[in-house]
Amino acid sequence: MKEKITEEMMRHIPADVSILQLKDGQLSLLCGTDIPGTILPQDKAALIHHMNTKDAFELRIRLNLCWYAYKAECVKDETGITAYGILQDIDDFMKTEKHLSEESELIKDILKNSRSIYFSYDSRTKTAENIILPYDLHTLPSRMENFPESVIGDLSERDAESLRNAVKQIDEGEKEAECIIRMTSGWYRVHLINFFDEAGRIERTAGYAERCDRYMEAQAKLAEEKLARDTLRGTVLSASCFNATKDASVNVDSADTIAYEGAFDQDVYLEAVEAMPELNRQNPATLQVLLSAAEQIPDKNERLAFIRLLSNKGQRDLYASGKERAGVEYTRRTSEGLLRCRTEVRTVEDPETGDILAFVYTKDISDQKKDEKILHLLLEQANDWAAVIDTEDHTVSFRYMSENIRSLTGEWNLEGKTAYEAGMEASIASLTKPEDHEHLRTVSSIPYIISMLEQNDGIHVNAYEIDLPGGIVLYKQVQYCWLDDTRKEILAVQSDVTAAREKDRIQMQALKDAAEAAEKASSAKTDFLSRMSHDIRTPLNAILGFSNILTKEYDQPEQVKGNANKILTASKQLLVLINDVLDMSRIESGKVQVKESAFTISDVVSEADGVIRPLAKKKNQTFEITTGVLKHESLIADETRLLQILNNLLSNAVKYTQENGEIRLHVQSLPANSARYDLISFTVEDNGRGMSESFQKTIFEPFTREQLEGQERVQGTGLGMAIAKNLVTIMGGTISLESELGKGSTFTVTIPMRIPETDSDREFWKAHSDLKILSVDNNPDNCARMIASAEAAGLKMDCAFSGEETLEKIQNEDYGLVILDRNMPDLNGIETAEKIREINREIKIILLTYDSSDIETEARNAGIDGFMAKPFFLSGLRKALEEDKPEVQEEESKLSGLRVLCAEDNELNAEIMKRMLEDAGAEIDIAPNGKEALRMFEEKKYDIILMDVQMPVMNGIECTKEIRKADTSIPIFALTANAFAEDTQKVLAAGMNAHIAKPVDASLLLQKIREFTS
């Protein structure tokens, strides 16, 4: 009976109840919701822990991936631990909580974009914290102690005192305080607010600093306008000021309103209101001032223009337009007669009230206008003729005519007066098209000209075409104006505007082309930003993702190593993207500098090969380097920029060529125009996807990249080709392109390079002129090129095309050197070397190969003395001959016992440097700033100093200069994120020995340290 009752009770237990039992570490369900069967493993461990350690608990767990809150009480007895609990579905709550967290981050991001600073302040500890900074101030800390003293270092003395006073008011219990200060990024209004509890005690203090550049700009403009007004006093007819916001005349020095009394002139008032009904709503006092001045202007159009500009609405419209100033010219009645005047209105904002102030100045320009008219006539260029037309007797008299127009004058009497209509009719009939005759008769008639002068303020312009034999068309323009105020005679001046018309046409076409180019550039930049967002986030996501995985797999060395390599690869991708954008920015701003130095073509080709060959190998591509005739291998140019150009072209070839494709770099000399220069040509050829004809026209423009339908998307900025093109141009060279879609592309770069004045190679080969060389290569073209290069240097070289032929020649000739190609069909280079050693143990053998790392030990065992990188270069041969012993890789233990001082203010960077150098066996001390580094240098002996450039207290440049006063020999390296050529020059000028750009390449740093400390 008891069991039946228990069963019945179990069936009626609510679904949100779950009773669990824990015995011998095993969790089981007694009744209710099945937690053990549906809980996630990581949550199950937490639940068992709570049952073992707590009498009552509440825990968030996931059942079938949904969130529940399990609230339980535990009972312990001989059967184990029993938990009696209920479940609450909190899945929606957890999603909401996650959403709120994301919203909080979004709000912070929005605040960062607001250009304002938000913070909380604790007056007891003098600490500003929870600081939300705009992105342009991201370098500031998010927490500041000793506030405000910690932030006044960059402030003026006046601003520092203002900030101190505001903080003091808050500390003393004022509800609010504010001040205006100027920081490095602009003007800020700092506002502090105290919040009090019910007892009147300060509960918390909030602060914000908002940009107020506009306020300070308005204040400066107002001060400038007041100064201009004071300066203009005595030189103008009148000066006044209006408050356009309040519609009042004001004394700007005291802000007092000025009252005017008097009646309106009714005729002027009615005329003005009819044209501008809004005047009915204007303050009668300011309207009185306006109309009293306007009634002195006799011309209605000029009078209305004056009223329209100076009305209250006109003042406000002027300010709203953003122009800030405008003027109107008119004739004005005075006691001394008519004057030509100009009234100018200048609007500014009062920064204290926000009101719009309008400063009004009126100046006599009568003499100025006369001078302008005379000057205009004197400076008129390309005039055909000038004539005076008498409107009463309809005659014309020419005052001037150019020689080249006299033959076209027809019936005109050039010495005296001519009947105007008769002469005009003859000219129209003989010089213009028949279809234009009727129109020209109308617009050239005296009544029409007079009507146009009356409508257009005394000036009229007429244009027409003259047709000459041979299809020549000339464009003429006649300008008419009244000769004087009697309005009896008209001055007419004709000029040739053919060139101006053509110039206008060219300019319009240029504007059209520029608009199209701007539209394309805008579209390209928009696409660039979209792609950059993706391409930057892709490696960044990998860095963050694998970093997170590393924290969970620290006990799995293989996974850690693999993920670390992936982070390194993603970091390098991100660095390439950033460098491309920065390079293009500097190129467009004209800041790229060419730094010429001596180098060899073989070194550049070898470095490019070291970068590109591993990339090609990953795609199973064939990468071949060949040379033509090279007149000089040692040259002077910007080696770094040249390598950047080649890497851009070759890496693009790898990117856009399919797996198992072919890529080729060919280097040769071309005929040069100067004996001081050698013209070097680099040709990069591939059989990849190629490009369309339309894209070939824009490939060298920034932000462009072709993405054809169905093709795999390739990462990049779209800047590589633009950078290459600009660098080639800066170096005085040219770049050309041939491409066919689906078949591949060929880029050819030619750059003039200076020939060194002294040729050390010539002396070296002269000293080795008796050396007889045997070159072995199954490719006849390669052999021919090697022999041509050797003979140009005065060397004796024979060629063999197989291993067997090589053995035969060695037995019959006395050779001092054999150069073996690595890959040959019968006997390869290593096998041939073994056979040679059976015959001759003394002869020197060099193996010619793209990469010797995979066969070096085997080759040495076979009797090979050295290696040369393909293709064959004389400079490479010289290096091989100068090496008496095989190069031995220096071990990192070479730094063992080396004492290093590293000045680095960033803790993470300092930790990286410490680990990197300690792993190499060095002893390293870290200084957090330049001043501390100087102290440590004075107290302890070091072998080398690594110096960050930008540091607090004392920067790296200043610290280096101080160290150099005491020690000129200790090596000092700059470690800095400033990675441009001028940055390198700056640190070297300060006394440093080398420049290492951040992020630091460990192998490069260790190599440099060995160079300077060995």
Side-chain angles (χ1 to χ4, degrees):
M1 178 64 71
K2 182 177 178 181
E3 289 77 6
K4 290 183 179 180
I5 293 173
T6 303
E7 277 181 32
E8 189 65 24
M9 289 178 66
M10 292 297 184
R11 282 199 298 271
H12 290 84
I13 288 177
D16 57 356
V17 171
S18 182
I19 301 174
L20 308 176
Q21 186 175 59
L22 180 63
K23 184 176 182 180
D24 298 330
Q26 297 297 315
L27 184 67
S28 60
L29 174 70
L30 293 182
C31 64
T33 302
D34 183 12
I35 291 178
T38 58
I39 190 170
L40 292 184
Q42 55 267 47
D43 293 346
K44 183 177 181 180
L47 178 58
I48 292 172
H49 173 74
H50 277 63
M51 290 177 66
N52 273 321
T53 59
K54 300 180 185 295
D55 294 331
F57 63 87
E58 182 173 345
L59 180 66
R60 294 179 181 181
I61 59 176
R62 284 163 288 182
L63 307 181
N64 290 327
L65 300 180
C66 292
W67 282 98
Y68 290 85
Y70 183 54
K71 187 173 183 181
E73 294 186 0
C74 296
V75 176
K76 300 180 180 179
D77 55 26
E78 66 279 358
T79 62
I81 302 172
T82 304
Y84 299 86
I86 60 172
L87 285 167
Q88 180 183 0
D89 186 343
I90 60 168
D91 199 53
D92 289 340
F93 170 78
M94 294 297 287
K95 290 177 181 177
T96 302
E97 186 178 69
K98 180 182 178 183
H99 178 70
L100 288 175
S101 175
E102 292 172 350
E103 288 293 326
S104 175
E105 291 302 316
L106 178 60
I107 289 171
K108 282 186 179 180
D109 201 43
I110 291 171
L111 291 177
K112 287 180 181 179
N113 280 290
S114 69
R115 302 183 73 202
S116 295
I117 303 170
Y118 300 88
F119 61 94
S120 59
Y121 168 66
D122 189 333
S123 59
R124 293 167 300 177
T125 62
K126 296 287 187 181
T127 302
E129 52 192 356
N130 301 321
I131 302 175
I132 300 176
L133 296 164
Y135 287 113
D136 57 350
L137 292 176
H138 69 279
T139 55
L140 292 177
S142 59
R143 186 176 187 272
M144 298 181 185
E145 297 180 351
N146 192 25
F147 183 82
E149 299 303 319
S150 56
V151 298
I152 65 174
D154 294 330
L155 303 183
S156 68
E157 186 175 340
R158 178 180 175 183
D159 289 350
E161 192 59 32
S162 296
L163 182 57
R164 287 192 188 101
N165 288 337
V167 175
K168 182 179 178 183
Q169 293 175 44
I170 288 297
D171 290 344
E172 293 175 351
E174 294 288 340
K175 184 176 180 180
E176 296 185 41
E178 75 171 27
C179 63
I180 294 177
I181 60 175
R182 184 169 191 173
M183 300 179 70
T184 54
S185 58
W187 287 97
Y188 284 83
R189 188 190 302 272
V190 182
H191 199 89
L192 295 163
I193 307 170
N194 273 331
F195 295 88
F196 301 90
D197 59 17
E198 294 178 355
R201 295 186 296 269
I202 298 175
E203 188 175 42
R204 60 189 178 90
T205 304
Y208 64 90
E210 59 181 347
R211 289 293 287 268
C212 61
D213 301 88
R214 188 172 177 274
Y215 168 84
M216 298 304 292
E217 182 183 348
Q219 195 173 60
K221 285 184 178 179
L222 179 58
E224 180 184 342
E225 201 55 53
K226 287 181 179 180
L227 178 62
R229 182 204 55 185
D230 294 339
T231 304
L232 289 171
R233 279 178 180 163
T235 66
V236 295
L237 295 175
S238 64
S240 54
C241 181
F242 296 88
N243 186 318
T245 303
K246 297 178 179 176
D247 191 8
S249 299
V250 298
N251 181 340
V252 73
D253 294 317
S254 63
D256 294 333
T257 299
I258 302 174
Y260 290 89
E261 296 181 357
F264 294 138
D265 180 289
Q266 289 300 312
D267 291 338
V268 174
Y269 170 71
L270 293 173
E271 173 189 82
V273 169
E274 182 181 1
M276 291 163 275
E278 66 271 11
L279 291 175
N280 276 321
R281 298 186 294 276
Q282 184 162 334
N283 180 358
T286 58
L287 188 60
Q288 169 63 33
V289 177
L290 175 60
L291 295 180
S292 297
E295 67 180 343
Q296 304 304 319
I297 303 173
D299 183 85
K300 177 181 177 181
N301 291 331
E302 291 181 345
R303 184 165 59 247
L304 291 177
F306 176 86
I307 295 171
R308 183 171 285 108
L309 175 61
L310 272 72
S311 68
N312 179 256
K313 182 178 184 299
Q315 296 169 11
R316 289 185 283 108
D317 288 348
L318 174 60
Y319 181 80
S321 71
K323 295 179 182 177
E324 296 186 355
R325 63 176 60 193
V328 59
E329 295 183 3
Y330 53 90
T331 299
R332 173 180 177 180
R333 284 191 297 265
T334 69
S335 58
E336 299 178 358
L338 295 177
L339 292 179
R340 192 66 183 171
C341 298
R342 175 178 174 82
T343 293
E344 188 168 283
V345 181
R346 306 178 189 177
T347 57
V348 296
E349 180 184 343
D350 186 335
E352 300 299 332
T353 64
D355 292 349
I356 302 166
L357 300 180
F359 291 83
V360 182
Y361 308 97
T362 298
K363 187 177 182 180
D364 178 2
I365 60 169
S366 301
D367 292 339
Q368 176 187 333
K369 297 307 289 185
K370 292 176 185 176
D371 292 343
E372 284 179 1
K373 189 169 185 178
I374 294 171
L375 186 62
H376 175 74
L377 293 175
L378 289 175
L379 296 179
E380 188 73 29
Q381 296 182 1
N383 291 331
D384 290 340
W385 49 257
V388 175
I389 303 170
D390 191 318
T391 61
E392 293 183 350
D393 62 12
H394 286 224
T395 59
V396 60
S397 57
F398 286 91
R399 305 299 173 89
Y400 162 79
M401 182 171 289
S402 65
E403 292 297 328
N404 60 355
I405 203 69
R406 288 179 178 270
S407 61
L408 305 177
T409 55
E411 300 297 323
W412 299 113
N413 177 8
L414 303 184
E415 304 301 327
K417 288 188 175 182
T418 302
Y420 178 79
E421 281 81 3
M424 184 58 67
E425 180 63 31
S427 293
I428 290 173
S430 62
L431 298 176
T432 63
K433 298 177 182 178
E435 58 266 30
D436 294 340
H437 289 179
E438 191 60 35
H439 169 70
L440 289 174
R441 289 190 188 99
T442 300
V443 299
S444 301
S445 68
I446 291 177
Y448 180 84
I449 295 171
I450 291 174
S451 69
M452 290 295 102
L453 291 176
E454 291 175 348
Q455 292 180 32
N456 299 311
D457 296 329
I459 295 178
H460 172 52
V461 177
N462 182 27
Y464 67 97
E465 298 178 9
I466 291 180
D467 285 347
L468 298 179
I472 299 173
V473 178
L474 301 179
Y475 296 92
K476 302 294 180 180
Q477 175 179 287
V478 183
Q479 183 170 325
Y480 304 92
C481 66
W482 292 112
L483 188 61
D484 54 33
D485 290 342
T486 64
R487 298 200 172 196
K488 177 179 178 294
E489 294 177 309
I490 298 171
L491 174 63
V493 179
Q494 176 175 292
S495 57
D496 187 288
V497 293
T498 306
R501 284 281 297 269
E502 178 62 16
K503 184 178 179 181
D504 287 345
R505 186 193 67 78
I506 293 172
Q507 287 179 340
M508 288 300 294
Q509 185 61 44
L511 286 173
K512 182 180 178 182
D513 294 344
E516 292 177 356
E519 185 176 350
K520 286 172 63 179
S522 176
S523 175
K525 286 187 178 182
T526 300
D527 180 55
F528 163 74
L529 290 174
S530 174
R531 287 188 281 102
M532 280 298 292
S533 175
H534 173 274
D535 289 351
I536 286 179
R537 288 171 186 272
T538 297
L540 193 57
N541 179 65
I543 293 169
L544 295 175
F546 284 115
S547 297
N548 185 47
I549 292 171
L550 278 178
T551 64
K552 299 176 181 179
E553 296 182 344
Y554 58 85
D555 58 344
Q556 302 177 46
E558 289 302 317
Q559 287 87 338
V560 168
K561 183 178 180 180
N563 291 332
N565 286 331
K566 292 171 184 175
I567 290 173
L568 184 61
T569 299
S571 300
K572 289 180 178 178
Q573 290 176 359
L574 192 57
L575 186 61
V576 168
L577 292 171
I578 292 170
N579 284 339
D580 275 356
V581 174
L582 292 178
D583 276 344
M584 197 64 225
S585 174
R586 294 178 67 78
I587 287 171
E588 290 184 339
S589 63
K591 293 183 179 179
V592 171
Q593 299 177 352
V594 174
K595 186 179 179 182
E596 291 189 336
S597 60
F599 71 100
T600 64
I601 296 293
S602 63
D603 285 345
V604 171
V605 171
S606 179
E607 286 194 49
D609 180 71
V611 173
I612 301 303
R613 190 165 299 280
L615 302 179
K617 192 173 182 180
K618 288 181 181 179
K619 297 180 71 173
N620 293 320
Q621 294 168 338
T622 300
F623 178 37
E624 182 184 9
I625 304 176
T626 61
T627 61
V629 175
L630 285 170
K631 298 175 184 175
H632 302 86
E633 292 185 18
S634 296
L635 294 163
I636 297 175
D638 192 327
E639 181 182 5
T640 301
R641 297 300 182 191
L642 177 59
L643 185 60
Q644 187 176 358
I645 294 166
L646 290 180
N647 283 343
N648 274 354
L649 296 175
L650 289 167
S651 62
N652 263 15
V654 173
K655 282 182 188 177
Y656 295 102
T657 298
Q658 67 282 357
E659 290 195 6
N660 302 311
E662 297 175 1
I663 299 163
R664 178 172 174 260
L665 170 63
H666 182 72
V667 188
Q668 63 179 345
S669 291
L670 297 177
N673 294 326
S674 170
R676 297 176 56 235
Y677 286 85
D678 196 354
L679 190 61
I680 305 298
S681 167
F682 301 89
T683 302
V684 177
E685 183 180 0
D686 66 66
N687 66 343
R689 67 170 67 169
M691 60 192 79
S692 63
E693 290 186 12
S694 60
F695 181 65
Q696 292 178 45
K697 299 175 183 177
T698 61
I699 186 174
F700 296 117
E701 295 176 8
F703 316 118
T704 56
R705 188 170 59 181
E706 186 171 42
Q707 186 64 46
L708 300 175
E709 185 177 352
Q711 289 185 343
E712 181 182 355
R713 189 178 186 277
V714 178
Q715 274 197 341
T717 59
L719 293 173
M721 288 297 100
I723 291 171
K725 172 68 167 64
N726 279 278
L727 291 179
V728 168
T729 302
I730 290 170
M731 294 178 71
T734 61
I735 183 170
S736 60
L737 160 68
E738 293 179 7
S739 183
E740 187 174 346
L741 200 59
K743 292 188 177 180
S745 304
T746 301
F747 289 87
T748 301
V749 172
T750 56
I751 298 177
M753 301 183 190
R754 195 150 48 92
I755 301 168
E757 294 181 3
T758 57
D759 191 350
S760 62
D761 288 340
R762 183 179 301 171
E763 296 301 320
F764 180 85
W765 295 124
K766 187 176 181 181
H768 290 76
S769 59
D770 58 345
L771 177 67
K772 192 170 184 180
I773 305 170
L774 177 62
S775 171
V776 184
D777 195 316
N778 62 299
N779 186 318
D781 292 338
N782 289 345
C783 282
R785 281 193 290 268
M786 292 169 67
I787 290 174
S789 296
E791 289 178 349
L795 299 175
K796 304 169 186 175
M797 179 180 285
D798 293 335
C799 195
F801 299 105
S802 67
E804 294 297 338
E805 185 181 354
T806 301
L807 298 175
E808 182 180 343
K809 283 182 175 288
I810 285 176
Q811 289 175 330
N812 296 325
E813 296 284 346
D814 185 18
Y815 292 104
L817 172 67
V818 177
I819 301 173
L820 295 172
D821 186 31
R822 173 177 174 175
N823 297 315
M824 293 184 293
D826 54 350
L827 293 175
N828 63 34
I830 295 176
E831 293 169 341
T832 303
E834 290 176 336
K835 297 287 186 182
I836 291 174
R837 287 302 179 215
E838 294 175 3
I839 302 171
N840 190 326
R841 305 292 299 177
E842 302 299 326
I843 191 171
K844 186 164 186 173
I845 304 174
I846 293 175
L847 187 67
L848 193 61
T849 177
Y850 284 119
D851 183 11
S852 62
S853 60
D854 58 332
I855 48 91
E856 182 171 0
T857 301
E858 181 186 359
R860 296 285 185 193
N861 292 336
I864 290 174
D865 299 295
F867 302 91
M868 278 181 62
K870 294 186 73 171
F872 175 82
F873 286 99
L874 279 174
S875 51
L877 176 58
R878 175 176 176 174
K879 284 183 180 179
L881 291 174
E882 289 176 332
E883 291 176 352
D884 294 328
K885 296 180 181 180
E887 184 178 351
V888 179
Q889 185 68 31
E890 295 190 71
E891 298 294 332
E892 291 188 351
S893 60
K894 184 71 178 277
L895 301 188
S896 178
L898 196 73
R899 297 180 299 276
V900 181
L901 172 59
C902 178
E904 173 61 72
D905 63 310
N906 184 284
E907 292 183 5
L908 287 178
N909 288 343
E911 184 179 345
I912 291 170
M913 292 304 302
K914 188 173 180 66
R915 176 67 181 273
M916 186 187 300
L917 293 172
E918 285 181 345
D919 286 351
E923 300 173 10
I924 179 169
D925 293 332
I926 302 294
N929 56 62
K931 187 174 182 180
E932 186 65 16
L934 183 59
R935 182 191 65 77
M936 295 170 70
F937 165 77
E938 292 170 345
E939 295 178 356
K940 187 176 178 181
K941 178 71 173 177
Y942 292 99
D943 299 306
I944 191 169
I945 300 174
L946 306 180
M947 185 76 69
D948 188 17
V949 173
Q950 294 185 2
M951 293 184 292
V953 185
M954 177 185 283
N955 64 42
I957 298 290
E958 294 171 348
C959 182
T960 298
K961 289 179 179 178
E962 291 299 317
I963 291 173
R964 285 300 181 223
K965 292 177 182 178
D967 190 330
T968 59
S969 61
I970 185 170
I972 304 177
F973 291 179
L975 299 182
T976 174
N978 300 331
F980 297 115
E982 55 267 35
D983 300 316
T984 302
Q985 294 170 7
K986 189 175 180 180
V987 299
L988 295 179
M992 299 193 198
N993 302 89
H995 175 281
I996 306 291
K998 293 179 181 177
V1000 174
D1001 184 323
S1003 59
L1004 174 63
L1005 175 62
L1006 297 179
Q1007 176 188 337
K1008 282 286 184 184
I1009 291 176
R1010 294 188 192 104
E1011 287 178 13
F1012 280 84
T1013 58
S1014 60

